[in-house]
Amino acid sequence: MERLLGEADFHRLASEFGRSELVIATRAALAGVREAVLEGRVEETSFRDAIASIASTVRTQLASTTVPSLVPLVNATGIIVHTNLGRAPLSQPAIDAITRIARGYSNLEFNLDEGKRGQREKHAAKLLARMFPGYDAQVVNNNAAAVLLVLNVFANSREVIISRGELVEIGGSFRIPDILERSGAKLREVGTTNKTRLADYEEAIGAATGLILRVHHSNFRIVGFTERAATEELVALGRAHELPVIEDFGSGNMLPLGRYGLPDEPTALESLEKGVDLVTFSGDKLLGGPQAGIIVGAPERIQACRKNPLARALRVDKLTYAALEATLSSYVRESALEDIPIMKMLSAPASEIESRSRRFVDHLETIDGLDLTVMKGFSKVGGGAAPEEEIPTYLIAVDTSGQSAQRVLDRLRSQCPPVIARISDDRVLLDLRTVLPEQEGLLQSALKKL
Ligand SMILES: *Cc1c(COP(=O)(O)O)cnc(C)c1O
């Protein structure tokens, strides 16, 4: 050990990775050699080789323990809002804002006009007020936190009336009934999975009722014999009984999706205009910003949310405000379609993806044993945004002679950066809709390595 650590190679490793990490890794490598000797697996010559190569063994080990586990990757799945893949890629203005604020001090909780302590909630508030005129807003850690906070403020130890058709689970860990329970509220289920009428809500209202909750169908759809009370009807019912009506929107699309050939989803603003008291939605789904939960409603209701002690525990940091303000600013300046990657992906016509795909394939035509075909297919809006909404697209089918689709998929995933694709009909499919233009080169080198 002493002799190894004295060698020049090891001096370099010590300055790169730190001496204590080096000692741990070297000890482990020596233990490996020692064990092999004791088990009689090592001849004289291979023993010398093992000792000679120990610096490189140690380097590999140290490099693998110090690389970050969170790495960028290429999303070629065509699923635009992919919760497992980090949801929304940020816009350039949002990235710039994060960098600017991360570098130094900021007025996070400092009022520059008065020169004294200020409120962090002021950030993003002005922009949100532009997007939701007449309303106030509170930003928390994510939409789950937004729902938790709102329920705690308005329904602690009281009943929350919710349709059985809306008791949803979103991605394993977010179940509306569980959040309800933890918020201190009591669940009062009404109606059935496929039909909940206004009368069902009405019959459930009593002295213990705290609020009426509506939850957007984010990741599934109930089709066929269905009925759902209209938002206006629920609002009228809430008013008559002085109960707040709250809507968990999930995706937070700001623009009417119908314009891009997608089925129209109601926007949060439309719900507020219909009289819904508070809406909540995520910052990193269709809004295309950082992870956040946004609560919008009448100023006095938002004020009540701010005063709740949970708000302190659920608050967001300066980097989130920085990215969120930049993202919201793109909407206010009406440049969201150009600035925000999620919006670009959603609105790109199939013909544009087709020409991108053909250019991409033409570029790679010459590789032996690799066959790329451009074909029609579908992209998806994805997790917790618009349920199963399919967008016509063009796909690149990858055929490599002699390798199974699963093997190709696995090998693409093991590239640096990893490429995530999908398999259909025993072929690997790539959808350029979700591949950022600047990543096309990376995708090409990954394919070459196949
Ligand atoms: C996605 C979603 C949530 C959870 O939002 P997070 O920002 O992931 O916490 C809650 N409700 C609905 C309807 C959703 O779609």
Side-chain angles (χ1 to χ4, degrees), residues 123-124 128 137-141 292-295 314-316 320-321 324:
H123 306 294
L128 284 164
Q138 165 80 350
V139 181
V140 289
N141 183 53
I294 300 169
I295 309 169
L314 305 175
R315 76 184 191 184
V316 297
T320 301
Y321 277 120
L324 187 61

Side-chain angles (χ1 to χ4, degrees), residues 126-364:
K126 240 197 307 195
L127 289 161
L128 284 164
R130 278 264 176 285
M131 298 169 75
F132 298 94
Y135 300 99
D136 198 358
Q138 165 80 350
V139 181
V140 289
N141 183 53
N142 56 12
N143 189 31
V147 174
L148 176 71
L149 178 60
V150 162
L151 293 178
N152 185 261
V153 172
F154 298 102
N156 195 9
S157 346
R158 314 192 62 170
E159 284 181 4
V160 170
I161 305 180
I162 182 171
S163 157
R164 288 201 171 85
E166 297 173 10
L167 290 171
V168 300
E169 168 170 323
I170 294 132
S173 53
F174 182 85
R175 281 185 161 176
I176 288 288
D178 296 342
I179 296 273
L180 262 163
E181 196 175 296
R182 288 298 164 130
S183 74
K186 292 192 197 77
L187 183 64
R188 181 70 193 266
E189 305 170 34
V190 298
T192 60
T193 307
N194 57 335
K195 286 206 175 200
T196 307
R197 300 181 182 89
L198 186 67
D200 296 321
Y201 287 94
E202 203 160 7
E203 280 158 24
I205 294 178
T209 310
L211 61 85
I212 299 172
L213 179 66
R214 218 140 61 172
V215 179
H216 192 70
H217 289 176
S218 298
N219 49 7
F220 72 104
R221 171 156 284 173
I222 299 174
V223 293
F225 191 54
T226 65
E227 192 173 330
R228 207 179 177 210
T231 304
E232 292 88 340
E233 294 177 323
L234 280 186
V235 167
L237 183 67
R239 292 274 152 84
H241 296 269
E242 292 183 8
L243 294 172
V245 176
I246 291 175
E247 191 160 2
D248 168 12
F249 254 95
S251 71
N253 54 300
M254 291 297 141
L255 305 177
L257 298 180
R259 251 191 249 161
Y260 315 109
L262 294 168
D264 248 331
E265 296 280 328
T267 65
L269 183 59
E270 284 163 10
S271 270
L272 288 167
E273 283 169 347
K274 285 178 186 165
V276 169
D277 294 281
L278 287 168
V279 295
T280 74
F281 53 90
S282 295
D284 55 355
K285 289 184 179 171
L286 290 184
L287 185 70
Q291 179 187 303
I294 300 169
I295 309 169
V296 188
E300 60 280 6
R301 296 213 190 270
I302 295 297
Q303 198 50 38
C305 292
R306 287 199 184 128
K307 283 211 204 106
N308 184 289
L310 272 180
R312 173 65 175 77
L314 305 175
R315 76 184 191 184
V316 297
D317 79 326
K318 59 192 176 189
L319 302 184
T320 301
Y321 277 120
L324 187 61
E325 285 203 305
T327 306
L328 297 172
S329 171
S330 290
Y331 284 95
V332 171
R333 287 183 288 105
E334 297 184 337
S335 59
L337 278 185
E338 298 92 72
D339 291 353
I340 296 176
I342 289 279
M343 292 311 299
K344 274 195 264 191
M345 291 172 191
L346 264 178
S347 59
S351 58
E352 185 184 317
I353 311 295
E354 182 185 15
S355 47
R356 257 183 87 188
S357 304
R358 297 213 183 275
R359 266 201 311 277
F360 185 93
V361 168
D362 287 346
H363 203 82
L364 273 176

